[in-house]
Amino acid sequence: MQAAPRLAFGVVADIQFADAEDGHDFGGCRRRYYRNSLRLLREAVQAWAGESPPIDFVLQLGDSIDGQNARRGEAESALQRVLEVLGQLSVPVHHAWGNHELYNFSRARLVHTGLYSRPAGGLDGPPDTECHAYHCSLAPRLRLVVLDTYDVSTLGTDPDSPRYQESLRVLREKNFNDDLNSPEGLREPHFVAFNGGFSQAQLDWFNEVLKFSDENQEKVIVTAHVPIHPGASNGVCLAWNYEAALSVIHSHRCVVCVLAGHLHDGAYCLDCHGVHHLTLEGVIETPPESNAFGTVYVYEDKMVLKGGGRIPDRVMHF
């Protein structure tokens, strides 16, 4: 008989809610169900609320609302509706920041919204409090690290700021297109404006967190909006300096899994160091008769994902 899980948590990605008629992606060929995404989130919350034993927390992997809310003047109200649904849960929700959050809000504004789940005081993250990266203990010898894959980005920042200028320089070195969201003709197609990257300060902080976890024989679950392994990506939806993040992970023994969103089709790979990289299917492109959320059960030697709708079940051994 299998032992009870150490803990369980819900996971969901790319809700991209807007109070708008159905539309399509930027290529015009994939249907997006803007209003329906909130209904699917309600279904997920109801399922998580009925879990026995109860779940311990939820990971919201970014893009909670769609960028069109900014154009419609509905960013605040759309976010409030999503947070109200998630607020029906009696457990913490850890949020990653995605590109659509940054289409709607500046980084400075996001710090003052319900999407800022970094603990108060800033001691659990990098010195830059606008960097939405942090870590926390989930259970004895089990840690969560939330990374900010838009720490270096042209999104959500003042064009006159050093952060913007440095991000634009990095992007322009690799992307020669007039449209910086276009990967056409690029040798490294992930250098597009809807992706972002990690500052050296965040990577140094991440390294110190993993060093601590190694020393204390912890297992670490990492989460971020943008995938950081090519095998869990389509080659475009990938953090700019993903190699640097992987180098940090692979220099330690503690990371067992990296959970991401951004790529609405989802993807999975087990890398050569035994780290699982799971990119979750997006709610926004999920038809009304299906869904896209999961519940993860963590055991001593594995994580078991029970998927809903488009998301397949998966067992990830440590």
Side-chain angles (χ1 to χ4, degrees):
M1 184 176 177
Q2 182 168 268
R6 296 185 62 196
L7 56 77
F9 61 90
V11 62
V12 66
D14 297 274
I15 302 160
Q16 286 184 224
F17 167 68
D19 188 8
E21 298 298 322
D22 291 354
H24 293 86
D25 67 350
F26 296 113
C29 57
R30 298 174 63 110
R31 194 166 184 83
R32 292 187 169 178
Y33 305 90
Y34 295 110
R35 285 199 183 101
N36 186 66
S37 65
L38 196 66
R39 184 181 67 80
L40 297 188
L41 180 63
R42 288 194 191 99
E43 286 184 6
V45 165
Q46 289 169 1
W48 292 326
E51 286 280 336
S52 181
I55 62 170
D56 297 276
F57 60 93
V58 166
L59 296 180
Q60 190 275 111
L61 298 178
D63 283 3
S64 55
I65 62 174
D66 194 79
Q68 68 174 291
N69 286 294
R71 300 190 298 273
R72 297 162 61 93
E74 297 174 356
E76 296 282 357
S77 60
L79 178 58
Q80 193 56 39
R81 290 178 70 176
V82 169
L83 292 176
E84 282 174 359
V85 174
L86 290 170
Q88 294 168 12
L89 293 163
S90 59
V91 296
V93 180
H94 296 278
H95 299 281
W97 288 359
N99 48 309
H100 281 262
E101 276 85 13
L102 294 163
Y103 296 150
N104 281 283
F105 303 104
S106 68
R107 299 184 71 87
R109 174 65 188 130
L110 279 172
V111 168
H112 299 287
T113 69
L115 293 175
Y116 192 70
S117 48
R118 180 172 165 174
L123 298 178
D124 297 312
D128 177 5
T129 55
E130 284 189 11
C131 177
H132 195 241
Y134 63 91
H135 68 100
C136 60
S137 175
L138 299 173
R141 295 180 293 106
L142 186 63
R143 186 164 300 277
L144 172 69
V145 176
V146 177
L147 294 179
D148 186 342
T149 45
Y150 291 90
D151 188 14
V152 178
S153 170
T154 57
L155 304 179
T157 57
D158 183 344
D160 294 327
S161 68
R163 187 196 294 266
Y164 181 93
Q165 294 298 326
E166 173 60 15
S167 301
L168 184 62
R169 183 194 65 77
V170 170
L171 184 55
R172 276 292 183 201
E173 279 185 357
K174 303 287 187 176
N175 189 327
F176 50 78
N177 292 321
D178 291 336
D179 178 3
L180 288 173
N181 279 314
S182 173
E184 186 176 354
L186 302 185
R187 190 169 62 85
E188 297 174 274
H190 61 290
F191 277 95
V192 287
F194 59 79
N195 295 331
F198 306 98
S199 67
Q200 190 58 51
Q202 185 180 176
L203 292 169
D204 291 345
W205 164 84
F206 186 32
N207 186 61
E208 288 301 312
V209 173
L210 298 190
K211 181 181 177 184
F212 173 89
S213 290
D214 272 354
E215 291 169 351
N216 288 275
Q217 298 182 305
E218 294 182 331
K219 291 182 172 68
V220 176
I221 298 167
V222 175
T223 186
H225 181 64
V226 183
I228 62 171
H229 195 288
S233 167
N234 61 352
V236 175
C237 293
L238 192 62
W240 289 349
N241 54 340
Y242 70 88
E243 301 101 327
L246 284 177
S247 178
V248 172
I249 288 172
H250 293 159
S251 66
H252 299 278
R253 302 182 305 276
C254 53
V255 176
V256 295
C257 183
V258 179
L259 296 166
H262 200 43
L263 177 63
H264 297 170
D265 281 340
Y268 166 81
C269 77
L270 177 65
D271 74 23
C272 60
H273 291 257
V275 179
H276 300 273
H277 296 263
L278 177 63
T279 302
L280 218 67
E281 288 78 356
V283 173
I284 184 60
E285 292 180 8
T286 300
E289 66 275 8
S290 187
N291 211 321
F293 69 94
T295 305
V296 178
Y297 304 90
V298 182
Y299 298 87
E300 284 294 334
D301 61 344
K302 63 187 174 185
M303 292 169 59
V304 177
L305 169 66
K306 293 293 185 182
R310 297 172 65 205
I311 297 177
D313 293 351
R314 192 175 300 277
V315 179
M316 295 172 281
H317 291 277
F318 304 153

